[in-house]
Amino acid sequence: MADIRPFCMPKWGIEMTEGTIAEWMVQEGQAFTRGQVICLIETDKITNEVEAEYDAVLKRVLVPASDQPHPVGALLGVFTDAATTDAEVDAFIAAFKPAETGVAAKAASADAAPAAAAAPEPAPAPAAAAPKKIVTNRPISPEALKLAEANGVDIEPIAGSGRGGRITYQDVVQAMRPEQVYTPKGPADLPPVAQAIYASPLAARLAAQYGIDLSTLKGTGPRGRISKADVLGAVKPAVPEAAPAPAFGAPFVAVANTPVVQPFDKVRKVVARRLTEAKQTIPHFYLRVSARVDELVALRKTANVVMGTKASINDYLVKAVAMALVRHPDVNVQVAAEAVHSFPHADVAIAVASPKGLVTPIVRQADRMHIAQIAATTRALIDKAQAGRLSFEDMDGGTFSISNLGMFGIEEFDAIINPPQGAILAVGGINRVAVETADGDIAFEGQIKLSLSVDHRAIDGAAGAAFLQTLKALIETPESLFS
């Protein structure tokens, strides 16, 4: 019987509805091995390299590489063994049901990392005896539980690799494999080899396109791998030659002011579409307040020395926002079509400028972190964003966003809500403001202006105002951030 498997558009995250085949790395009719990159799939803000989980042949490509998006579950290609005939593939495609694709994609997204292929690795055949029911409180995917029951696998010693320690299908498959013992046989005489250059396929193609020697680049990816951002960072943008300045006293002569046209790339198109939809479809309203920050600035200097960290003012704001969100769960929400989802913990997204445009990586459960942990997490996310290495998990979800432009000298602004979140906080810079003291004198203090953009479908004005009052109190009494 022919071994035929569908390759469908995977679903990475609850909000993903479609993806785009950017490039096939394996051609139709070509065999591939486990771990080889099959294709590149682009989502809203990232490009995922889909790696094979088993050896097979790409027998048929149904969706060629293009800019056209395809829905989650769409049949992209067919994997087979070498002996499968075209007639068998045609019959498989004709009998394929899209409804089955949705189930397969859902199971794959729960059990596999975004870089995994759609079909799981074949597991050893189950025993002939009736499967033994497993009762456990540990998080485990349905398919992984079925496999463990069918093969009598004890899941207690398995360390889950999924989110929150969830046991995935691949974890059970790995636990079923016999332990291999390697016996060292002494040193081996190896001929000298040239130093290998590790680069992603996309980075290699860009380097060839722009004539860049990969050996001159320093990779910022895992284990020094050269990424797309490393190559693009070495590309020198073409700068139009400036017109020579006229000599003093010479008559003014107008020259052609020719614009440099830069079409939107895919990421900028997605950002433009999402922001336009958000502004047009979400009923925004705005609440503004000022908060004293002199005590926060002074506490930060001392705390950084004591904790041995470099927490920024924005890190303290993330902590304050997270604590306020937990106290006001009616603001810590996501808005669906006709429902509001509230959450017990605050997943705070921070707006970061990156080579791919504005991105919003997430500090998850920030209310449970102390300042040093938040500082380390935000620094890692910012570094990944600026290197263009943010993964889908880094940006998936979020219950609230913070956009801080104070470091650019901006005093106050209003931000556009990042759906499906219900609100976003815009933070301005610190300004010295004259205020009246209790005894009638005039003194100066540092203040920041906060502007809360709120989705009126889910959050009322009174709820937003109460949240801002709690946030203001936390900022003005910064010792409470360590409680």
Side-chain angles (χ1 to χ4, degrees):
M1 181 178 178
D3 184 11
I4 304 178
R5 305 180 188 181
F7 175 51
C8 307
M9 179 65 70
K11 182 176 179 62
W12 296 321
I14 191 172
E15 295 180 21
M16 179 179 174
T17 59
E18 60 184 17
T20 303
I21 294 289
E23 184 174 356
W24 284 97
M25 310 304 297
V26 178
Q27 304 303 316
E28 187 173 274
Q30 181 180 349
F32 56 84
T33 58
R34 180 179 180 181
Q36 183 176 348
V37 177
I38 301 172
C39 66
L40 305 180
I41 295 182
E42 292 184 350
T43 58
D44 281 356
K45 292 188 177 182
I46 57 176
T47 300
N48 293 311
E49 294 181 349
V50 180
E51 298 180 357
E53 287 198 345
Y54 51 87
D55 299 347
V57 175
L58 178 56
K59 192 68 174 181
R60 188 73 53 83
V61 173
L62 300 178
V63 176
S66 67
D67 292 332
Q68 179 67 30
H70 295 273
V72 168
L75 186 61
L76 307 177
V78 177
F79 299 156
T80 70
D81 53 22
T84 305
T85 64
D86 290 336
E88 291 173 323
V89 173
D90 293 337
F92 175 82
I93 295 174
F96 187 80
K97 295 180 180 180
E100 297 175 357
T101 305
V103 175
K106 182 177 181 181
S109 65
D111 292 344
E121 181 182 355
K132 181 180 178 181
K133 186 72 174 179
I134 296 178
V135 179
T136 180
N137 291 328
R138 297 191 61 189
I140 182 172
S141 74
E143 293 300 320
L145 182 60
K146 290 179 183 178
L147 181 62
E149 290 177 343
N151 293 272
V153 178
D154 182 11
I155 67 171
E156 293 306 320
I158 298 178
S161 62
R163 180 176 295 180
R166 189 177 194 228
I167 300 176
T168 67
Y169 186 93
Q170 287 75 17
D171 295 333
V172 177
V173 172
Q174 187 66 28
M176 294 168 58
R177 294 175 175 170
E179 183 178 357
Q180 297 182 357
V181 179
Y182 297 94
T183 304
K185 297 182 179 180
D189 295 329
L190 300 177
V193 295
Q195 183 178 3
I197 299 177
Y198 298 99
S200 70
L202 185 56
R205 290 193 304 279
L206 289 174
Q209 178 182 347
Y210 290 105
I212 296 176
D213 184 3
L214 289 175
S215 63
T216 63
L217 301 182
K218 181 179 180 181
T220 59
R223 296 182 296 278
R225 192 185 195 198
I226 299 174
S227 66
K228 170 185 174 182
D230 299 327
V231 178
L232 292 180
V235 177
K236 296 182 179 179
V239 179
E241 184 177 353
F248 180 76
F252 175 77
V253 179
V255 297
N257 189 19
T258 305
V260 177
V261 180
Q262 296 180 334
F264 280 175
D265 57 17
K266 177 178 174 59
V267 172
R268 181 58 63 180
K269 288 180 181 179
V270 172
V271 172
R273 173 176 57 81
R274 286 174 59 89
L275 292 180
T276 301
E277 291 176 355
K279 192 64 174 177
Q280 291 178 342
T281 61
I282 297 177
H284 288 61
F285 76 92
Y286 307 95
L287 300 172
R288 301 177 179 88
V289 71
S290 297
R292 301 188 304 273
V293 292
D294 287 339
E295 292 186 24
L296 175 61
V297 172
L299 177 67
R300 168 182 170 265
K301 293 181 180 178
T302 303
N304 280 355
V305 174
V306 174
M307 296 186 298
T309 185
K310 294 183 179 179
S312 65
I313 292 294
N314 199 65
D315 296 327
Y316 282 84
L317 291 177
V318 170
K319 177 63 175 180
V321 164
M323 294 177 64
L325 287 172
V326 172
R327 299 180 190 180
H328 299 272
D330 46 358
V331 180
N332 190 39
V333 298
Q334 291 182 353
V335 186
E338 295 182 355
V340 177
H341 301 262
S342 59
F343 298 85
H345 298 290
D347 292 342
V348 182
I350 53 175
V352 179
S354 76
K356 293 187 176 183
L358 184 66
V359 293
T360 52
I362 300 167
V363 181
R364 301 194 183 276
Q365 300 192 10
D367 56 294
R368 302 179 61 192
M369 295 183 176
H370 56 69
I371 298 297
Q373 291 174 319
I374 292 177
T377 302
T378 56
R379 183 68 264 169
L381 290 172
I382 291 172
D383 290 343
K384 291 177 68 175
Q386 293 175 346
R389 295 189 290 109
L390 285 173
S391 66
F392 187 81
E393 284 77 11
D394 292 328
M395 297 187 292
D396 180 31
T399 61
F400 191 91
S401 291
I402 297 178
S403 180
N404 189 346
L405 295 179
M407 67 286 294
F408 298 106
I410 301 300
E411 296 182 0
E412 184 179 9
F413 69 102
D414 296 323
I416 300 176
I417 296 172
N418 180 24
Q421 299 168 17
I424 183 172
L425 183 71
V427 182
I430 300 177
N431 294 307
R432 300 297 294 175
V433 179
V435 295
E436 183 179 2
T437 62
D439 55 5
D441 291 336
I442 299 296
F444 287 87
E445 67 181 18
Q447 292 186 1
I448 57 172
K449 293 184 178 180
L450 309 173
S451 177
L452 183 68
S453 304
V454 183
D455 186 343
H456 214 333
R457 297 174 301 174
I459 304 174
D460 295 329
F467 166 79
L468 276 183
Q469 288 301 315
T470 300
L471 177 61
K472 174 182 171 73
L474 289 169
I475 294 174
E476 293 181 347
T477 56
E479 296 84 359
S480 59
L481 300 179
F482 293 90
S483 60

